Amino acid sequence: MKAIKILADRELSVVEMEKPVLKGGEVLLRLAYVGFCGSDLSTYLGKNPMVHMPVVPGHEVGAVIEQTADGVPATLRPGMTVTVNPYTSCGGCASCRNGRVNACQHNETLGVQRDGAMREYIALPWEKVIPAGELPVRQCALIEPMSVGFHAVARAQVTDIDVVMVIGCGMVGMGAVVRAAQRGAVVVAADVDDEKLQLARRMGAAHVINTLTEDVHARLQGITGGLGPDVVIEAVGSAPTYQMAVGEVAFTGRVVCIGYAKTDVSFQTKLFVQKELDIRGSRNALPADFRAVIRYMERGTCPVDELISMEVSPEEAPEAMRRWAEAPGKVFRVLVAFGS
């Protein structure tokens, strides 16, 4: 079968692999669409310290069930449109024992610590296969990244009395914008790209701030009556945006961090104490987050076509990745179509 593999820094190729043979309790999926995400781009650029190279990338999946093995529940049937929970959980670490399997200490994500889904077929344990109802299979490839943003909003315990600032309007940040707006919060989206900000407004942001051209502090003070946002969700992963989150959040506010900063970050730690902040990490997503995204997308209000920057064949994937590497801020998602 055809697959895409990152062989080394800036070296991505189409290769041939053996079609998987089902084991008990597994489901064989025929991949229709698989998305390249930010972690795949980091792997391609040689900047992902967690990856095991060479690797088949991809964990954002739109697929159809091809076959089921013994031990698979009857609720999963050939022909069903599905997405995938791409994380593993060991069952024994502190996170798993506390029911937060998304943050398993020994997690192995598809396309990072183990070969991913950027291929024609993949066999997975049935527990990792999530039915997507009547959603078009193409849309299913957007569910996982949006679920990460949904999970961050859950970690922030957002309610309808909150002002929520989301820093970074990529796919994950857009998920946070949508979910916070669904919960009734006043959402402030911040990014350096005006096109992304206008899309964030259409997806539920009440206010938008271009952090390159506007006075972020003055805008936030005006929006919040001088108090600052109750919640700041950091979805970029850089030292300046981490510092912005802590500096701008209201006293007794909540800061939720999704992005991995690539360098050390210096803080005025007195703000942690003076503001009595809750600073929380948010990693991956739980099954409930996936279901919430599916329900949102079933309503038909998600601007799917605007979130898909490029749709390419496997043979076109190397050139698409090269173009993304040259202009990362202009791309939401690159979908590789393996055939639907």
Side-chain angles (χ1 to χ4, degrees):
M1 67 175 180
K2 190 179 298 182
I4 292 171
K5 183 170 281 192
I6 300 175
L7 303 172
D9 295 359
R10 296 181 181 270
E11 186 178 345
L12 184 149
S13 297
V14 179
V15 300
E16 285 294 322
M17 294 179 66
E18 291 292 325
K19 184 177 178 179
V21 177
L22 280 183
K23 302 174 185 176
E26 288 188 337
V27 176
L28 181 67
L29 302 182
R30 174 168 50 85
L31 282 306
Y33 295 92
V34 183
F36 278 124
C37 78
S39 65
D40 298 322
L41 179 61
S42 294
T43 299
Y44 175 76
L45 295 174
K47 297 179 179 180
N48 189 342
M50 296 182 291
V51 74
H52 297 166
M53 295 279 280
V55 68
V56 175
H59 55 254
E60 302 175 356
V61 170
V64 176
I65 294 178
E66 181 85 357
Q67 184 182 351
T68 60
D70 292 340
V72 175
T75 51
L76 296 175
R77 303 179 302 277
M80 291 179 69
T81 298
V82 299
T83 191
V84 167
N85 181 331
Y87 325 119
T88 65
S89 52
C90 71
C93 71
S95 300
C96 290
R97 290 174 63 186
N98 290 328
R100 290 163 65 176
V101 294
N102 59 294
C104 173
Q105 182 178 352
H106 306 292
N107 168 66
E108 294 185 352
T109 298
L110 284 174
V112 184
Q113 294 92 348
R114 56 189 172 127
D115 278 342
M118 199 71 71
R119 47 177 131 171
E120 291 183 279
Y121 294 92
I122 190 170
L124 293 170
W126 70 264
E127 296 91 342
K128 297 301 179 183
V129 178
I130 301 174
E134 300 301 318
L135 281 184
V137 69
R138 181 170 175 260
Q139 293 187 25
C140 293
L142 304 180
I143 293 170
E144 190 275 341
M146 293 196 75
S147 73
V148 176
F150 273 46
H151 184 69
V153 171
R155 290 282 293 141
Q157 297 176 295
V158 170
T159 74
D160 58 358
I161 64 171
D162 289 324
V163 176
V164 178
M165 179 187 189
V166 178
I167 307 175
C169 293
M171 276 293 299
V172 171
M174 288 297 189
V177 167
V178 168
R179 192 57 165 165
Q182 284 185 333
R183 291 193 173 199
V186 174
V187 180
V188 183
D191 199 278
V192 298
D193 187 279
D194 285 329
E195 291 182 13
K196 288 184 177 180
L197 290 172
Q198 292 311 308
L199 181 55
R201 190 184 288 279
R202 293 196 293 278
M203 295 182 76
H207 307 274
V208 296
I209 301 174
N210 187 313
T211 59
L212 282 182
T213 62
E214 299 183 71
D215 185 328
V216 175
H217 180 71
R219 284 290 314 280
L220 287 172
Q221 291 293 292
I223 292 166
T224 64
L227 299 176
D230 304 283
V231 174
V232 178
I233 296 175
E234 199 287 335
V236 176
S238 72
T241 51
Y242 264 74
Q243 291 162 341
M244 180 188 296
V246 171
E248 297 297 344
V249 73
F251 274 62
T252 69
R254 288 98 73 198
V255 176
V256 174
C257 306
I258 311 175
Y260 285 97
K262 306 302 186 296
T263 60
D264 291 342
V265 183
S266 298
F267 291 106
Q268 295 184 39
T269 54
K270 68 177 183 179
L271 294 178
F272 299 3
V273 178
Q274 287 179 339
K275 291 187 174 184
E276 199 174 50
L277 298 182
D278 289 334
I279 301 177
R280 306 172 185 178
S282 182
R283 185 181 179 194
N284 300 331
L286 287 165
D289 302 307
F290 282 82
R291 293 195 299 271
V293 174
I294 290 169
R295 180 166 295 182
Y296 159 65
M297 298 188 80
E298 285 175 338
R299 294 172 184 156
T301 59
C302 179
V304 172
D305 290 337
E306 294 181 71
L307 295 174
I308 299 171
S309 304
M310 288 182 273
E311 184 178 314
V312 299
S313 69
E315 291 75 17
E316 294 168 328
E319 174 62 16
M321 186 63 87
R322 187 191 66 78
R323 289 168 56 193
W324 188 13
E326 290 179 351
K330 291 296 184 181
V331 172
F332 278 109
R333 273 303 173 271
V334 178
L335 293 191
V336 179
F338 284 90
S340 56

